[in-house]
Amino acid sequence: MNAAQVFDKVVWSTCNVNCGSRCPLRLYVKEGKVVRIEPDNTGEEPCGPHEIRACLRGRGLRRWVYSKERLLHPLKRVGKRGEGHFERISWKRALDTIAAQLGRILEQYGNEAVFRIYGTGNLGGVVSSRDQLDRLMNLLGGRLDLHNSYSTAQITHAMLYTYGAKQTGNNISDLVNSKLAVLFGNNPAETRMSGGGTIRDLVVAKQKSGLRIIVIDPRHTDTAAGFADEWIPIRPGADAALVGGLAHVLITEGLVDQDFLNSHCLGYDQTTMPADIPPGNSYKDYILGDGPDRISKTPAWAAGITGIPARRITQLAREIGTAKPAYISQGWGPQRHAAGDQSARAICMLPILTGTLGVPGGNSGDREGPFGIAFPGIPVGENPVNTSIPCFMWTKAIDDPDNLTALNSGLLGKERLETPIKFIWSFASNTLINQHSDINRTKDILSDEKKCEMIVAIDNMMTASGRFADILLPATSSFEESDLCYQSYGMELGALILRQKAIEPLGECRTLFDICAQVAERMGVAEEFTAGRSNDQWVEHMYHQCRRVKPELPADYRDAVKTGLFKWARPGEPHVGLRKFRDDPVRHPLKTPSGKIEIFSPRLWDMAQTWELPEGDVITALPEYHPTWGDPDASQASPYPLQCVGHHYKQRTHSSYANNPWLEEAAPQMVWMNPLDARQRGIRHGEMVRIFNQFGHTLVPAKVTPRIMPGVLSLPQGAWHHAGPEGVDQNGCINVLTNQRPSPVAKGNPQHTNLVQAEKAGEDQ
């Protein structure tokens, strides 16, 4: 019996969240309801290369779409903001209210007062994307812009200051040409774990080459457990110190590539330093103790900071220095710290010192490079407002705008922010509360309605952030709308999925395009916004734009929909980042001011002299290790002696799908704790633990395991905040413990830098 005999229809859809995969799904529909989901099972023409098998998150979407938290009707806040009390209203009343408030705020404060908050809960759709809000606001005169991301601010800046480019890595399939892979905090087995993720390419590369893989991470991750030959635990935030110890061995034992350092780099030793910099400020001076701090960065010095024995640091340095080539890469965890800018730059020093970047089998120290197909997004036009804030600094733009400047907060376009945020658009984003640092402080800022005067949230679920909306609008899910989706980020396979509407919208849900079009009509820009097209006509229009990139796609859109899924393997050999520069640095200089790899960054040197930093923060021209406000102080008793990081969890992507009981059952929310720390506190596996610091408290069961190093807790990030009667979070939400103090250079998210205490929870908790 075939599917057509059992089900009313079978259509292609996608999992849209920001794990880096965008996996295709097959939806089986019976009597107007999705009753079964299967992953891609096409491995031959016309669909193309190998299958893109969705993970448990995508396969569990059916339970998520029909969740009890699903938003079905427009809602208006009643009572105080944040209390979570709403009344059901009509779409007309909701849209009239939004348009009136938007018009008032634009007239009273100007366009700089309107902000679309960062969020990645729906990155798969092309037409149903956050770009619709940007398109709408650009037609209305613009909005306060944002730069960076919560995920990658520090590493992006590190690559720009070092290499002059945001993405410099080799494809991960290039591991077949490597002798050794050293992965700093890189965990694709959990963060990109589907057949559409990096882990597939890592598995294939290891099978083909048999190379040795070392994972350096505070936690024995699934990547370390399943694919690595060795796990080296390290204290959080100590990566730059480890690199210092490794560099000392590489330099003193003659394992550096001196010719490469002389010809391609700025600032390794005095001979390659800028002429106007005083002597003693080169990288070699810093490592050997001839720099300003007069500290030799020996393996013994690094051991005291990292928790890694000096003998193992020495041995690892020799392995890296003699493996030709070694593939050095980092995930995004090491840079998501208080000094993450420095950690990311420091890790890049290993391939720079050994000259193993720009070659097959090597890497720049960056995260592995993806294979991308340059399919288009919807046109959003130009933003007439030039002012842009780092995306992590939005609470300051509400609460303390007068002190948000270029020199203390990374503001772009102006020296000082002139207008506070008064209106927030939030689409598919739990950043208002759940994904931003220091939830309790954020709640206080948002609860003051005299500060931000209007919050409009558009989402599928009643999230923790949705409770702070003034108007809350129900958006269609990927099951209830047609769209396009591109798969070309997490693996070496590009795909175009023509997502078909499987079921009618639940309740009164509407597409984001239709919502924005209705606001545009009320604001007098409907014709310009829609360009005379409906939502589905925009989908067809964007498909034909894709044909400009891939002309072999069917000319008839209806024929394309029948196939639904198109795949293309990466052609030729794996991409080698910085290869042209490596081969000929004169003809192909980098986009740094010097055209070279800037070990010493003159730009950062200047910033260190001019930027205004809080006490304890530093900006340095070299990739150095410096203690931060988040390091435990061993010299005195501390009320918060444990470091707490927040790893990305296979149960969800950030906070998306956190309310799916199937996934909660498969991977429950628990805090990882070493048996030594648990025994000291009388805590046993599975018991409820109270984790707390000066910012807040949370309750969560303990996972007592030797897979986390002593002195460190790991609390999976993204669990939905749920405050109990005393305001204590009941759900293991790490952002009640995190700090809104940004990293020094990128002004990025430091959410893995936390000092906490843990204790067994009382029965009344």
Side-chain angles (χ1 to χ4, degrees), residues 389-409:
I389 63 171
C391 65
F392 186 69
M393 302 297 291
W394 64 273
T395 40
K396 186 173 183 178
I398 295 173
D399 189 51
D400 191 21
D402 293 339
N403 290 314
L404 199 159
T405 72
L407 295 182
N408 69 23
S409 301

Side-chain angles (χ1 to χ4, degrees), residues 19-20 152 155 159 166-175 181-189 191-193 196-202 223 327-332 362-372 488-492 574-577:
C19 71
T152 63
I155 193 172
M159 297 305 123
K166 294 181 179 181
Q167 172 54 249
T168 62
N170 293 24
N171 291 149
I172 199 167
S173 58
D174 191 40
L175 281 169
V182 182
L183 310 181
F184 285 78
N186 199 345
N187 181 28
T191 59
R192 294 181 174 177
M193 64 187 185
T198 308
I199 189 59
R200 180 198 178 276
D201 297 317
L202 175 64
T223 302
Y327 189 102
I328 310 294
S329 78
Q330 58 184 300
W332 294 340
N363 193 43
S364 64
D366 198 355
R367 190 165 188 169
E368 65 279 351
F371 163 58
S488 58
Y489 173 40
M491 65 182 301
E492 297 213 351
H575 171 73
V576 175

